[in-house]
Amino acid sequence: MSYMPQTPQKALPGAYVQTPAHQSHALSQQSQVAQTETQKTTPEEIQPTARAAKAVNEALWEESRYPELDSYIGQGISSEYEVSAQSAWAPFQKIKMYPIPDRIFEQYNRAQVSTIMGLFADFNHAWVAIDNALYLWDYTHPNPDLVSFEDATHTITAVKLVIPRAGVFVPSIVRLLVVATTADIILVGMSTQTASHGGKTVALYSLKMSTPVKGLDVDVIEGSDATGRIFFSGRGSDDVYEFTYQQEERWFTNRCAKINHTTKGYSTLTPTLFFGKRVQQELVVRMVMDDSRRLLYTLSSKSTIRTFFMRSNSALDLVITKPLHQILSNVGHMTSQTELLTPAMRIVSISAITAQEASKTNLVASTSSGCRIFMSATSAYGSSPSSSIAPTSMQVQHVKFPPAENSIPLHNQSSQSNQLTLHSTAPSINTSSRALKETRSAVRYAPGYFLTFVVREQQPGTDLLFASAPDSARIAQPQIQQTPVRYPELAFWISLGSRAEDVGLATGEFSATSSPVGFGNELAVQFDRPTPEIAVLTNTGVHMLRRRRLVDIFAAALRLGGGAEGLEGEVNRFVRRYGRGEVASTALAVACGQAFDVTSDSRLARISDPEVLELARKCFIEYGGKPEYPENSIHDRTIPAIDFVRPSPRHAGVARYISRLLRSIWKAPIVIEKLTPTGGFMVVSAVGLGKLQDTSQDLTKLKEFLTANKSFIEGLAGPEALGNVHSKREEVSLQGEHRALHALAVLIDRVIEGISFVLVLYDEKIEEIIISLADEFRQQLRNLSYEGLCTTDLGKMLAKDLVKAIVNRNIVSGSNVETVAEALRRRCGSFCSADDVVIFKAQEFVKRGAEAGADSDVCRDYLNESLRLLRQVAASLSMEQLQWTIGQYVALQFYAASIQLCLEKANESDRGNRALAWIQEGRPPGDRRGEAFEGRKKCYDLIYQVMLSVERSRTDSPDMVDGQLTLSGKRREEAGDEIDTADDEVFQTDLYDWYLQNDRADQLLEVESPYIITYLQRRSSEDVAHADLLWRYYVQKERYQDAAVVQLALAKSRFALSLDKRIEYLGNARTNASTTRPGIVRSSRTEVLREVSDLLEVANIQSDLVQRLRSDDRITADRRPKVMEELDGAILPLTVLFNTYCEPAYYFDLCILIYEAADHRVASDIKATWQNLLERAHTMAEQTDQGPEPYEMVAENVRSLGTKLGLSETMFPVTELLPMLKRYAHNYQHESGPETWVLDIFIDLQVPFETLYATLENMFYNDEPPFQGRQRRLIANDIVYIARMWFHNSSRGSRSAFGGEDNAIAVSQMLHMVMQSGLDERRLEECQNLRMRIENLLR
């Protein structure tokens, strides 16, 4: 049987692997050979969405490994800044300044004692305390309303906004306003609402909660967001107090109280007495809370830092005291003496660093000289403390010195200059810069935003703001730096024009992750989180600073970099600093409109300048790098070459950009099930629907950009790009690049449609949809993320179920299913395609048909229309949909249509007919084409169920009634016709297997199909039963010649058949081959018949041998089964039978038969074997006590063998055998048996008398021993006997004696000679009488 070549594996969609490049013919051939080898060894191809998902996950993983703070501010010092004068590289950008309302100034003018100001930046509110009144306003509103608190009866000294302790107040009280006066501390409740313009409105509520603090002069307040505890201190001492509050009074505690955590007992009531020189009292000037470690830090007026640990029992323990001289001692081990760090300088500010941001670093202290001192606290044995373990010591970890003095802007330099001026510190660390000398205050926000307010002698009432931020892109790419860097920062100066009163973070605390590793990765969240904004309150207004993301910096650099001429320089600068992949990602983001800038009217807007967008596009296309194919380093040649291609940095940039857009939704669940406060069921989205819409819009812009520039982007340009390659390496590299970029493009489409699908889902009554799902699917849906929805088969399956649930719900509600499905298709085509719309429509027709009744014409019309639609979209039918449809069709007795639909679905699932090729090649295991067959078989199994249903239906309604075909019978007949006339060979093959598996062989023989013979022929080589069915089928169809061929093949096969069964096959084959029928070629029939006869002859010999050996006592009992196994099976060659068995066993009669079968005509061998046969027979007879005489056994052997040989002149040479037997009779049996027993053997075998006579005549004349002398009379007697028998035989009827006159004369003459040879009287008289009768006839 010839085998078809293996079907090549299907190429990845979009990958033009087999497109020949425009190059030499030899190269093309080499490429094609490589591709062919690849197809033979390639494992299962990864789907594009899975490949892209892998790239996105790798990008997310890389960004999650962003270095933690401790790794780049380790033990030591640094001073690396890049300071820009409001240029493209500035880390912050001043958005606008909100002036203080006139009404505040009106109140300020009425002040009598004091005025203090501050910010509640997270609510976009500022406050001012004028004497005993507190006023709040929304500083972002052009004409804000004042919210006032005027219940205080004493001058307000401090105000702090804190989070209340859980469970104490009603839920609407989201904040507590802690108002300290000269006499008491008052708690004021605050609620917030979102205003129509997007800002926040606040309302204040009197809580009637206060505690006296007279004499403390409270000016520092801090609250714990995690516990709701409130701590404070004042100008009267350095003690730390806690303001306690509870919902109601108890037996031993009031609703409000204060606790001194530092000075215990009566000492708090005893005044401090000073003798001699007055000592300046140490005061607490700042408090900072670190809820992640349950630590409270205080800074004293003497620059001493104290650390308190908040225990769970409401205690507050002082655990570390770090005076200034210890801090300076620690610093002395890191650097030589510097005037910036001396006992004369002060620590002006402290800021906590949470455990989420750094595992070791706890605190940063800012000095009046502009240095930042990073400190770490450790617990016992040097381990890092946790929220349950208090630290015991604190050490300086790192010192960041100020920038170079030449970075300070000149007074006449415009703060809005667009000139690009970078001041980078020298490679050596500058420990003497006075750039930040006279720092008045400073603040640090995660992940490292540092704002320092510096006072200059020239402008004592005006602060100069120095703002810096980590260069996150450089920190994220340490491997590309030529020289090691430590804590690189971008910074700039800005003149506030007035004195800063407060500063606050308006957008919430930054955190890219919840752990130190990856926490500070601003790049990862620059499109996913609101851009950080910082509000700075001065006595003229609120200045808003916005953090400039890398995408904003890059866009500004393109705009200010000199246009197209300066593009290369700017891009190369970015590539050196941040790497080509990051530059590609950033350029792509700018080209997609992600960059923002402040307009001339102080509005924040997307950069839409065509020149900037074009430069970004050009940068992405031209500076995206090249893919790499390490051809020389590949050792495993069984893996396709394309799998070794490392895609270009451009691909990495696209994947990185996609990962940043999808960061917050990629792993998020699609639905979250909850219970309402009343116990009802509700489903909410884990991601805000607005966020989903924004992500979809960003992805759509990316898709549009890639589509518009497809022809220019290497890897997306299509097959025509291969015309520009010049080597095999370039070709493979380009193919790998295309595969990677195409996968990302496919993923973008999938995610856009996935988000649209989720939005559609929430537009519906999602609770009803979820409840309608099966429990298994419902649990899978709970665990389904957006990644799973868009990239996995499970997600696709669940989406289909949800679509069906949506459609079914609309059908139940009376909506038009086609309208609903079409709406779904438009918004999320891959989840509800045009084919899905057709399927839903067809299903609706099926339901309408069922409602109309199975026997109605309307039902048939609906069902026929549904069949027409379903056959159009058979390829898109899921197995569940097919099963449902077939179940409905069968219930409505639409049998033929059920079969048609199943066959259509099977063909569509395997349009390349790979299953047939797999069957024709013998169903090789492990071949992927077997999967195509399994897919088809699921459809075929449904057909078998239909067939069984048809059979069962006969018990309910007969086929014929009164000689007329019933409607049910007609439908069953139509189903049978569909089965018989199906032109699907794979189906017919599987159908025949099904017949045999279910004991329906007779039904198989009745099949009238062109495929039945092909099927049986194919399977007959595998199984005897199929071969038997094949020749039976041929006999039934009167194709006897073909039946004989099959039977002959069975006889010759290697199947486990007995020898008798093979002989039976050969006997039947000879009968069939002998049967003549018109149309059979005579030569072909003769050839088959000859082969059958020859093989049958050998088989009979082997059968005789088996019988002989079975009773041969010379074979031992343990060897006999093995001999029988060897012989009672396949027909062996004559050589084996002769040499291995017959000759060694002295079965000389079988040896002679083998001579005959083999056409062995060597006379000497034949004669010798006959001689051995006679001797063996004689010996065997003599060894037997009871049995025939030796001559009788010899006679029987000769007679039997003569019959089998058919008196062959070669194998049964009478002229040799007769003398041989006569000699045997004379030598061994002279007195035994009848005198003529030898001649009687030949006469019984009907050997011609003429032959016998001629042989005896020769013996008589030749005078050969032992028949010499007197012994010649023995031959003479035989001549007389043969002559007499010949005469009587030939004289019967009208025949001539001896066959003619010449023979008669010769015999007469011979008898005359014989009479002279000494015959006895009886023979002499007999001879005379015979001769006389002959003579009488001759007259």
Side-chain angles (χ1 to χ4, degrees), residues 850-921:
E851 294 171 356
D855 295 330
S856 66
D857 293 339
V858 175
C859 174
R860 293 294 124 176
D861 291 340
Y862 279 133
L863 294 181
N864 284 323
E865 182 62 17
S866 70
L867 176 63
R868 184 186 67 81
L869 294 174
L870 291 174
R871 294 189 67 172
Q872 291 176 2
V873 295
S876 301
L877 270 177
S878 68
M879 188 52 59
E880 293 77 11
Q881 291 169 332
L882 181 63
Q883 290 172 346
W884 179 87
T885 304
I886 298 305
Q888 295 295 315
Y889 279 177
V890 170
L892 298 172
Q893 295 187 355
F894 206 36
Y895 303 125
S898 301
I899 297 168
Q900 291 175 16
L901 184 57
C902 290
L903 291 175
E904 190 75 31
K905 173 60 180 176
N907 288 327
E908 289 295 331
S909 67
D910 179 29
R911 302 189 68 175
N913 225 357
R914 295 188 300 160
L916 179 58
W918 180 70
I919 291 173
Q920 291 173 340
E921 293 182 20

Side-chain angles (χ1 to χ4, degrees), residues 114-130:
S114 69
T115 302
I116 55 176
M117 302 177 67
L119 283 172
F120 302 145
D122 51 344
F123 290 106
N124 296 331
H125 274 63
W127 59 269
V128 59
I130 302 173

Side-chain angles (χ1 to χ4, degrees), residues 756-905:
S756 296
F757 176 71
V758 173
L759 294 175
V760 169
L761 195 62
Y762 281 98
D763 285 343
E764 299 285 333
K765 294 184 177 180
I766 188 171
E767 288 80 7
E768 296 180 7
I769 295 172
I770 299 298
I771 292 174
S772 68
L773 296 176
D775 291 341
E776 178 185 359
F777 289 158
R778 189 170 169 182
Q779 181 58 43
Q780 291 173 339
L781 183 61
R782 293 191 193 103
N783 301 328
L784 184 66
S785 65
Y786 285 85
E787 177 190 9
L789 173 68
C790 301
T791 65
T792 65
D793 292 336
L794 175 62
K796 186 175 181 180
M797 179 194 70
L798 291 175
K800 293 288 186 182
D801 289 332
L802 289 170
V803 168
K804 287 188 290 186
I806 293 173
V807 173
N808 290 335
R809 194 187 72 82
N810 281 273
I811 291 174
V812 171
S813 63
S815 301
N816 186 288
V817 65
E818 188 173 1
T819 303
V820 175
E822 182 63 26
L824 286 169
R825 186 194 65 79
R826 286 195 305 271
R827 296 187 61 178
C828 41
S830 60
F831 295 93
C832 182
S833 63
D835 287 352
D836 292 329
V837 175
V838 175
I839 292 171
F840 294 140
K841 187 175 181 180
Q843 289 176 338
E844 188 173 8
F845 280 133
V846 173
K847 292 179 180 179
R848 291 179 183 177
E851 294 171 356
D855 295 330
S856 66
D857 293 339
V858 175
C859 174
R860 293 294 124 176
D861 291 340
Y862 279 133
L863 294 181
N864 284 323
E865 182 62 17
S866 70
L867 176 63
R868 184 186 67 81
L869 294 174
L870 291 174
R871 294 189 67 172
Q872 291 176 2
V873 295
S876 301
L877 270 177
S878 68
M879 188 52 59
E880 293 77 11
Q881 291 169 332
L882 181 63
Q883 290 172 346
W884 179 87
T885 304
I886 298 305
Q888 295 295 315
Y889 279 177
V890 170
L892 298 172
Q893 295 187 355
F894 206 36
Y895 303 125
S898 301
I899 297 168
Q900 291 175 16
L901 184 57
C902 290
L903 291 175
E904 190 75 31
K905 173 60 180 176

Side-chain angles (χ1 to χ4, degrees), residues 69-305:
L69 180 65
D70 296 324
S71 67
Y72 55 86
I73 59 164
Q75 191 78 21
I77 61 176
S78 65
S79 64
E80 183 167 350
Y81 297 88
E82 289 207 15
V83 185
S84 63
Q86 193 61 21
S87 70
W89 291 83
F92 294 94
Q93 187 175 30
K94 183 177 178 180
I95 303 175
K96 67 184 306 181
M97 193 273 286
Y98 298 103
I100 297 176
D102 293 338
R103 295 174 62 186
I104 296 297
F105 284 112
E106 292 175 2
Q107 297 294 333
Y108 175 76
N109 292 331
R110 300 173 186 170
Q112 297 178 358
V113 180
S114 69
T115 302
I116 55 176
M117 302 177 67
L119 283 172
F120 302 145
D122 51 344
F123 290 106
N124 296 331
H125 274 63
W127 59 269
V128 59
I130 302 173
D131 294 341
N132 65 334
L134 177 66
Y135 302 98
L136 288 75
W137 75 94
D138 181 357
Y139 57 77
T140 64
H141 197 281
N143 187 23
D145 295 328
L146 295 184
V147 179
S148 62
F149 172 74
E150 299 176 340
D151 293 347
T153 57
H154 299 84
T155 301
I156 296 175
T157 59
V159 177
K160 184 70 175 181
L161 191 66
V162 300
I163 296 177
R165 191 167 65 246
V168 177
F169 306 103
V170 295
S172 60
I173 303 297
V174 295
R175 292 289 190 275
L176 290 179
L177 203 58
V178 185
V179 180
T181 70
T182 56
D184 52 9
I185 291 183
I186 306 168
L187 292 187
V188 180
M190 177 186 287
S191 65
T192 65
Q193 289 184 340
T194 302
S196 58
H197 62 275
K200 295 284 187 180
T201 61
V202 301
L204 302 181
Y205 300 92
S206 176
L207 301 176
K208 305 298 184 182
M209 302 179 77
S210 64
T211 188
V213 292
K214 190 171 183 178
L216 296 181
D217 200 7
V218 176
D219 62 345
V220 180
I221 305 173
E222 183 63 27
S224 168
D225 293 345
T227 63
R229 298 174 71 178
I230 303 171
F231 303 95
F232 62 92
S233 185
R235 300 186 185 95
S237 70
D238 63 345
D239 293 331
V240 175
Y241 293 85
E242 180 177 358
F243 181 85
T244 63
Y245 57 96
Q246 59 190 19
Q247 193 171 25
E248 56 186 12
E249 292 186 1
R250 299 177 183 174
W251 284 103
F252 301 103
T253 57
N254 297 324
R255 291 185 66 195
C256 300
K258 67 177 184 294
I259 300 175
N260 188 335
H261 286 290
T262 52
T263 305
K264 307 299 182 182
Y266 67 88
S267 62
T268 59
L269 304 176
T270 306
T272 302
L273 302 178
F274 299 96
F275 300 92
K277 185 178 179 180
R278 183 175 179 85
V279 179
Q280 184 179 1
Q281 185 177 2
E282 185 176 17
L283 307 175
V284 175
V285 296
R286 190 174 297 272
M287 287 184 180
V288 176
M289 179 65 64
D290 181 3
D291 279 318
S292 64
R293 297 185 176 95
R294 299 173 64 182
L295 297 178
L296 173 68
Y297 304 102
T298 66
L299 174 65
S300 76
S301 57
K302 294 184 178 182
S303 298
T304 297
I305 299 174

Side-chain angles (χ1 to χ4, degrees), residues 1041-1269:
Q1041 178 77 10
D1042 294 328
V1045 171
V1046 176
Q1047 291 166 334
L1048 173 61
L1050 277 171
K1052 296 164 63 177
S1053 69
R1054 294 187 178 183
F1055 292 133
L1057 298 173
S1058 66
L1059 183 60
D1060 291 340
K1061 189 65 177 178
R1062 296 175 189 270
I1063 293 174
E1064 179 185 344
Y1065 282 133
L1066 290 172
N1068 293 332
R1070 183 166 60 181
T1071 302
N1072 288 323
S1074 302
T1075 304
T1076 60
R1077 189 168 177 265
I1080 298 179
V1081 180
R1082 182 178 180 84
S1083 60
S1084 175
R1085 184 176 68 85
T1086 304
E1087 179 71 20
V1088 174
L1089 185 59
R1090 183 193 62 77
E1091 186 177 359
V1092 169
S1093 299
D1094 291 346
L1095 192 61
L1096 182 59
E1097 185 177 3
V1098 177
N1100 286 327
I1101 294 173
Q1102 186 170 331
S1103 178
D1104 291 343
L1105 177 61
V1106 170
Q1107 299 302 324
R1108 197 77 60 86
L1109 289 174
R1110 186 172 283 122
S1111 59
D1112 196 328
D1113 55 5
R1114 291 177 295 173
I1115 303 177
T1116 59
D1118 56 341
R1119 176 164 170 73
R1120 191 182 305 276
K1122 183 178 181 181
V1123 173
M1124 291 298 103
E1125 181 181 357
E1126 293 174 352
L1127 289 172
D1128 193 14
I1131 301 174
L1132 301 178
L1134 289 171
T1135 303
V1136 175
L1137 295 177
F1138 183 87
N1139 293 326
T1140 306
Y1141 298 100
C1142 294
E1143 188 177 45
Y1146 307 139
Y1147 298 151
F1148 298 113
D1149 54 341
L1150 299 182
C1151 291
I1152 294 172
L1153 292 176
I1154 291 175
Y1155 289 156
E1156 173 70 12
D1159 198 19
H1160 184 76
R1161 296 177 177 275
V1162 180
S1164 59
D1165 292 345
I1166 297 171
K1167 182 178 179 181
T1169 304
W1170 272 107
Q1171 185 64 46
N1172 292 332
L1173 173 64
L1174 300 182
E1175 292 176 1
R1176 179 66 178 170
H1178 178 79
T1179 303
M1180 293 294 293
E1182 285 186 338
Q1183 293 176 355
T1184 304
D1185 296 335
Q1186 295 180 352
E1189 293 294 329
Y1191 83 90
E1192 292 177 334
M1193 182 169 290
V1194 169
E1196 179 59 30
N1197 274 267
V1198 174
R1199 187 179 291 108
S1200 173
L1201 193 54
T1203 302
K1204 294 178 180 179
L1205 294 173
L1207 301 181
S1208 168
E1209 294 181 2
T1210 305
M1211 298 301 147
F1212 195 81
V1214 177
T1215 56
E1216 296 290 343
L1217 289 177
L1218 183 55
M1220 191 183 299
L1221 286 170
K1222 288 299 296 180
R1223 286 192 292 272
Y1224 166 76
H1226 178 271
N1227 295 334
Y1228 299 103
Q1229 299 293 311
H1230 184 61
E1231 300 296 334
S1232 301
E1235 184 179 354
T1236 60
W1237 67 269
V1238 173
L1239 295 177
D1240 289 340
I1241 294 172
F1242 295 100
I1243 293 172
D1244 292 343
L1245 292 173
Q1246 297 182 357
V1247 175
F1249 288 102
E1250 184 175 2
T1251 302
L1252 296 175
Y1253 173 78
T1255 303
L1256 291 172
E1257 183 180 23
N1258 289 334
M1259 291 176 67
F1260 184 81
Y1261 284 120
N1262 290 339
D1263 197 23
E1264 295 177 356
F1267 304 109
Q1268 297 173 331

